[in-house]
Amino acid sequence: MTAVLCYAEHQNGRLTDAALEILGAGRALADRARSQLAAALFGTETRPLIETLGEHGADRVLLCEEARLDGYAPEAAVHALADIARQETPRAVLFADTSHSADLAVRLAARLRAAFAPRCTSLAFDPEGRLKVTRTAYADKLQATVLCEQPAPIVTLQPGTGEIKPARRTPRVEERPLTLPQEAARLKLLQTLKADPRTVPLAQAEFIVSGGNGVRDFALLWELADRLGASVGGSRVVCDDGRLPRERQIGESGTTVRPRCYLAFGISGASQHLRGMQDSKLIIAINTDRHAPLMKLANMAVIADAEAVLRALLDQLD
Amino acid sequence: MHIVVCVKDVFHPHDLRLPANGQKSPDGLRMPNRADECAVELAVRLRDQEGGRVTLLSIAPPEAEETLESLVGLGADALVRVWEARLAEADVAAVASVLAAVMRRQQAGLALCGDRAVGGAGTGLTGPLLAEILGWPFVGGAVALEAGKKEGMVVTRLIERGDRQVLYTPLPAVVAVSPEALTPGYPALAKIRRAKREVCGLEGIASEAEALSAPLPMTVIDWAIAKPRPRKLFAPPSTASAADRLKMVMGGGMAKKAQDSSVEAPPEKAAEQILQFLRQEKLI
């Protein structure tokens, strides 16, 4: 039976959230089409992930345990995916819209001369079983409904299109050896450079230390950010009176951020500010006012004077 | 080295007209594709360092000439514009096959293009298809180019969160440049006047561009103005007190209230706990 195929992206021994979302979307699509969901899992030491794939709805796991597929190896991965697509004739191939997965998706589409729809917002099969997707184009101003036909239509999904949903299955594992000749991979990854937290655009920053009206001395904040390897941001008040440059402003009239951690000193959290940072994974707020809106939102609320805590943190980091 | 940069004009996002009856794609005010401008700028800088020449290659109707000239003004040595009426219907696979045929004729040592058209269909397929047809390696999302120590090319590629990958690729290769690579310079009149121009049809390359008759198996069946995705509306929980509900609404309608811990302590103790929390979350 032909199946819906998902590419299971993983990093540091874990499936990425984007990959789980794709599995959710794939499961929903497969259920509606009464077909199976297969996941392509590449790389060594990936066996522990098979269970997670099952927990998110995969009926089959197509496993290629091969050291040449570890890390960023687009040529080998596309070769393996093309082999799978030719054998399986999947009804759709789903990728996350991350730099890693989207790069593979577009290469695979070019290799197979297949239909390709990036950044889709919805997916369905029409009555004849063809894949019908909507995607944004023309600088996201227009929305196109695209009919994709065989072989193996390839799509990437915008984040938030699929839902991470448990759907307990015990997947059947099928091993797929890599048939790529050794010398055929021409690209070599020389190194990966980490972004410099001082210069990375705030929207992409992973860890943000931000200050509001409760902080007078911003030199302290910059110093703390440097020590922690974080980027500096601030509320509108402090950008208005020049304590921080305008491009450091977080909130609706500034930058919308979604870091892994948001450490806020002396920010009460006007709704305009909250809307610019509420998607942060972890929020730590330090404020003397226990009823401030940001304190309610925070994972860790510290009721204390922001600047005093700032100094204490710097002392303890010495 | 002969660097050939594939460029195209796109539509200004503020002046887009939905395709009317019979048209296949939208129409509007033309402007150069930002990613292509970056590709030209990178190519010109590479030429200035390593020598060689830069040719711009575009499959575009005469209306596009004005925008193409502004790309030439960034410092290219020549512009080749390929056009025939039947190319108006060409899809990305046909375009890539024509580009590949011209690449071969021009004996390109490096092919650059934008990694996707921001004011276009934006599938980002041109580069990978070109690489497949030519049998060259492909790198996408490039933000910097550097000649390799002995041979080949070192390409820096932008990935998530501002991190970058540095890749080595042998030449010839196809590199797709990210629109975030740099801020392109201004076109200069002297540079526009210096560049050579060539306009050609498909004669001589049509046989190689057989794929013109084999479009990718996808059709756009409907165009619409993109609607913003609906945001989840916030309703305060009915179990909360009136005062709390009012506060929640005033606070911007924050739905979650996932307080894991609340600390009230002197600054030193508080700092300790914050550091402990950060360590626990492996942030430091």
Side-chain angles (χ1 to χ4, degrees), chain B residues 123-144:
Chain B
T123 54
L125 268 170
T126 309
L129 276 169
L130 187 59
E132 283 292 328
I133 296 168
L134 293 167
W136 296 357
F138 170 79
V139 182
V143 290

Side-chain angles (χ1 to χ4, degrees), chain A residues 1 64 67 79 105 143 234 266 290 313 315:
Chain A
M1 190 164 79
C64 190
H79 187 86
Q143 179 178 304
R290 69 173 71 228
L313 274 170
D315 282 346

Side-chain angles (χ1 to χ4, degrees), chain A residues 152-217:
Chain A
I154 294 158
V155 299
T156 74
L157 292 182
Q158 280 192 11
T161 309
E163 219 179 318
I164 302 180
K165 218 158 59 176
R168 244 192 181 298
R169 315 256 163 160
T170 313
R172 194 170 76 231
V173 180
E174 299 162 32
E175 309 221 3
R176 298 298 172 94
L178 180 65
T179 57
L180 183 77
Q182 198 80 41
E183 66 287 352
R186 294 167 289 187
L187 299 181
K188 281 183 202 78
L189 180 63
L190 302 177
Q191 57 173 325
T192 303
L193 303 170
K194 291 300 277 178
D196 177 359
R198 270 189 167 248
T199 55
V200 70
L202 270 183
Q204 294 173 7
E206 192 152 337
F207 186 0
I208 295 178
V209 173
S210 75
N213 216 11
V215 181
R216 305 299 320 170
D217 186 359

